[in-house]
Amino acid sequence: RQFDSSPITLAWVGKGEAIGWMSTVKDIKTTKMLAAFNNAINFASEEDKPGLRKHCADAINRVTSTCYSISRNHVKQFVKVNHVWPDYVQHCGLLISALEVGHLYDPDNKTTIQNIIHISADNIQGMSFDAEMFSLLTKKVSVTEKYEALLRSKIDEYTTKMYRFDPGFVK
């Protein structure tokens, strides 16, 4: 921890992290996590805010990475169920939004940038699966053209930011 703040600030940080870790495949709790982190930052002293922002950005990365992994495994297993892919895309949108807040907290955190690019690219790629158990037919789920354009713009934006840290970064 890079900050030594008041008990109120520490309580808000703890609450934010706890809320984030209570996320499930059906209920990604990043919005409530971010609200608690914002309260923590608002209650922190000016000298503690930079360290607190970095801490919160790291927590956002840890929580969103875990939620993404769990959600990705779930969609792989149940992609044939009608609502699973749209739910997954929506959850990934929440994760990307949380990561963007994490980037605002700590613009020098490369992991945040990489995670935004990765999740965006994964959604664009979509997912193929066998249509039937013994079928040779393959189906694919993907995002809408409009959402793909939005994700591509995020990839472009964050790739540009990544070049600051790694000029050889390949999109």
Side-chain angles (χ1 to χ4, degrees):
R1 205 169 70 199
Q2 303 164 351
F3 60 95
D4 185 29
S5 213
S6 72
I8 293 173
T9 300
L10 296 174
W12 278 115
V13 170
K15 181 177 181 173
E17 289 185 33
I19 290 169
W21 289 118
M22 291 188 326
S23 295
T24 66
V25 169
K26 290 188 173 237
D27 186 17
I28 303 293
K29 297 183 180 291
T30 53
T31 304
K32 291 179 182 176
M33 175 182 69
L34 295 175
F37 287 161
N38 284 331
N39 282 333
I41 291 166
N42 288 337
F43 280 108
S45 67
E46 288 304 314
E47 68 182 28
D48 284 345
K49 285 183 182 188
L52 182 57
R53 285 187 182 104
K54 286 181 185 286
H55 177 86
C56 291
D58 287 339
I60 290 166
N61 272 313
R62 289 190 310 273
V63 168
T64 57
S65 292
T66 302
C67 289
Y68 170 73
S69 179
I70 291 167
S71 295
R72 180 82 178 147
N73 290 336
H74 178 77
V75 78
K76 280 182 183 175
Q77 188 173 358
F78 297 105
V79 69
K80 293 179 187 179
V81 178
N82 286 342
H83 66 85
V84 170
W85 176 256
D87 288 352
Y88 171 72
V89 171
Q90 180 183 17
H91 292 159
C92 286
L94 290 170
L95 299 176
I96 292 167
S97 294
L99 287 163
E100 289 179 309
V101 171
H103 179 68
L104 293 174
Y105 288 166
D106 184 6
D108 295 328
N109 190 320
K110 279 180 22 179
T111 303
T112 303
I113 296 168
Q114 291 168 327
N115 286 341
I116 292 168
I117 293 168
H118 177 77
I119 295 171
S120 298
D122 169 70
N123 276 218
I124 291 170
Q125 181 179 351
M127 185 174 288
S128 297
F129 60 94
D130 294 333
E132 302 281 330
M133 186 180 283
F134 299 106
S135 171
L136 298 176
L137 297 175
T138 301
K139 284 188 168 182
K140 182 174 182 175
V141 289
S142 58
V143 296
T144 65
E145 286 182 27
K146 184 177 178 180
Y147 192 57
E148 181 177 339
L150 175 71
L151 292 173
R152 287 192 186 283
S153 70
K154 286 188 188 300
I155 291 171
D156 290 343
E157 174 187 352
Y158 286 93
T159 296
T160 300
K161 293 176 183 200
M162 191 64 188
Y163 289 148
R164 222 179 70 211
F165 302 104
D166 181 1
F169 179 76
V170 177
K171 182 163 89 169

